[in-house]
Amino acid sequence: MTRPMIAHRTPAYEALHATVSTGLQGAFGTSRPVWLLTMSATGAMEMALRGLAPGRIVSLVNGEFADRFAQVAEGCGHTVQRCFAPFGGVVPLAELEAALVTGDVRAVTVVHVETSTGAASDLAAVAALARHYGALTLVDAVTSVGAQPVLADAWDLDFVFTGSQKALALPPGLAFAVASERYLATARANPRRGLYLDPLRAHRYALASQAPTTPALPLLFAAEVQVARVAAEGLEARWTRHAEMRAAISAWVDAVRADGIDLRIVAPEGARGAGVTACVVPDGIAAEALVRRVAGAGWTLGDGYGPLRTATFRVGHLGEHSVATLHPCLDVIRTALDDLMG
Ligand SMILES: *Cc1c(COP(=O)(O)O)cnc(C)c1O
């Protein structure tokens, strides 16, 4: 990242852009150009919705980030219907279908892995249902791209985005996205797409391996290194490593429970993301106090998010972490739990 800057209207930049963009295709499960966007992931979320003329949107809401998606849709002038999930889970497909049958829904918003709860939605099923009723599927895959399979082409997803700072283990500041031909065609019918967040502009420049505006070069230098690291590990191996971390934390929670401590994983079994696990602390313990203790021992946990703030903590087991680096962290959490339980 300390490499000297280069001019971005040059073949050298185009080569850098092409390397990073193609390097990310596997993580998105796509053969389409992956856009490199200078913005955090929420910018890409807004881009997905800014591209579409105001219309009816159905938002699957099962946590804070899923609700942010709905709020962004409202802010972009769409009429939003929220479908809610049971606590910590995912929205039942029947709820989605009930919302879709009533009329002309332009798009469904869904968060693949809801980072506030760790719950993973079945994207292939959501997209198939949306398609059946003629709606696009817009996907926040911020916590899943790079941690578990996200198959934009095979699952027929219309807009998928992530941020640099999650499972791709880069510094924050970039978003990456891919859009289907169907999405682009729908966006073409909308004359008011703005400029910075115009998906058609992003696509047009991406086709030429260029950036629409001045790119964040140091972050792209870092991304060039990181896509090579991901390729060297191999995507399948990367996904396996994350699945192993998910299994390790689940086994650890079982062991803690076997010792009579009522710790629980928020997301239901079978619908858990590979890169983050949210846990409900036992009654009488403040999750913030636990997070502070663990921080004192040198490990950073995520606080509970939104309404789950006082009852949960989150372990981010993604990026370059492994089962070997996760265990010492879990040991520290266990000690803190024991101390707080007195
Ligand atoms: C982190 C996160 C975001 C927000 O990303 P920013 O880069 O802060 O804009 C959105 N959705 C999910 C699921 C996230 O985990």
Side-chain angles (χ1 to χ4, degrees):
M1 293 181 75
T2 61
R3 260 153 65 179
M5 296 303 104
I6 56 173
H8 64 278
R9 300 290 174 218
T10 55
Y13 175 78
E14 286 168 18
L16 169 68
H17 189 111
T19 304
V20 176
S21 177
T22 5
L24 288 168
Q25 283 176 322
F28 277 91
T30 190
S31 57
R32 300 179 57 76
V34 176
W35 308 340
L36 314 181
L37 308 168
T38 301
M39 55 189 69
S40 87
T42 307
M45 182 185 273
E46 188 151 340
M47 177 182 271
L49 289 152
R50 277 293 276 141
L52 305 175
R56 271 196 72 205
I57 301 278
V58 170
S59 289
L60 304 188
V61 176
N62 62 333
E64 291 299 294
F65 290 103
D67 193 66
R68 179 183 298 184
F69 217 164
Q71 287 174 39
V72 170
E74 285 164 342
C76 292
H78 297 288
T79 305
V80 177
Q81 179 178 354
R82 287 173 171 76
C83 293
F84 292 101
F87 174 82
V90 299
V91 177
L93 288 174
E95 295 276 320
L96 171 60
E97 183 151 31
L100 288 168
V101 289
T102 57
D104 170 29
V105 175
R106 178 154 293 145
V108 174
T109 70
V110 57
V111 175
H112 188 193
V113 174
E114 169 54 60
T115 317
S116 64
T117 65
S121 289
D122 182 347
L123 288 186
V126 167
L129 198 53
R131 180 82 47 251
H132 181 74
Y133 290 98
L136 300 170
T137 304
L138 314 180
V139 182
D140 171 338
V142 177
T143 304
S144 55
V145 167
Q148 62 192 74
V150 175
L151 306 180
D153 292 355
W155 295 343
D156 208 11
L157 312 175
D158 292 296
F159 196 107
V160 187
F161 62 89
T162 190
S164 49
Q165 79 276 26
K166 300 278 170 77
L168 295 168
L170 280 162
L174 294 178
F176 308 117
V178 64
S180 71
E181 213 43 60
R182 198 167 31 223
Y183 175 89
L184 297 173
T186 311
R188 262 177 223 116
N190 173 24
R192 298 178 185 223
R193 303 182 303 270
L195 187 143
Y196 197 69
L197 297 181
D198 176 1
L200 294 184
R201 196 174 150 89
H203 190 66
R204 195 165 66 243
Y205 278 85
L207 286 175
S209 293
Q210 287 173 1
T213 58
T214 310
L217 286 164
L219 290 166
L220 289 168
F221 293 150
E224 186 177 34
V225 173
Q226 189 60 355
V227 295
R229 188 190 277 176
V230 171
E233 180 179 18
L235 256 186
E236 297 279 342
R238 193 176 183 85
W239 292 336
T240 301
R241 177 165 56 78
H242 284 82
E244 284 168 358
M245 287 190 281
R246 171 177 53 199
I249 193 163
S250 158
W252 173 80
V253 169
D254 287 346
V256 171
R257 292 183 61 79
D259 289 345
I261 300 174
D262 187 21
L263 188 72
R264 278 173 294 132
I265 294 180
V266 173
E269 211 169 338
R272 291 176 182 163
V276 62
T277 301
C279 295
V280 183
V281 294
D283 274 348
I285 286 190
E288 290 109 318
L290 180 80
V291 170
R292 267 199 307 278
R293 266 176 189 264
V294 172
W299 291 92
T300 305
L301 297 180
D303 280 309
Y305 210 101
L308 301 176
R309 183 159 187 92
T310 57
T312 64
F313 65 87
R314 296 173 301 142
V315 183
H317 37 84
L318 72 179
E320 301 309 315
H321 283 294
S322 66
V323 170
T325 61
L326 182 60
H327 274 304
C329 171
L330 297 177
D331 291 344
V332 167
I333 300 173
R334 177 59 200 263
T335 305
L337 272 172
D338 288 340
D339 291 350
L340 288 167
M341 304 278 294

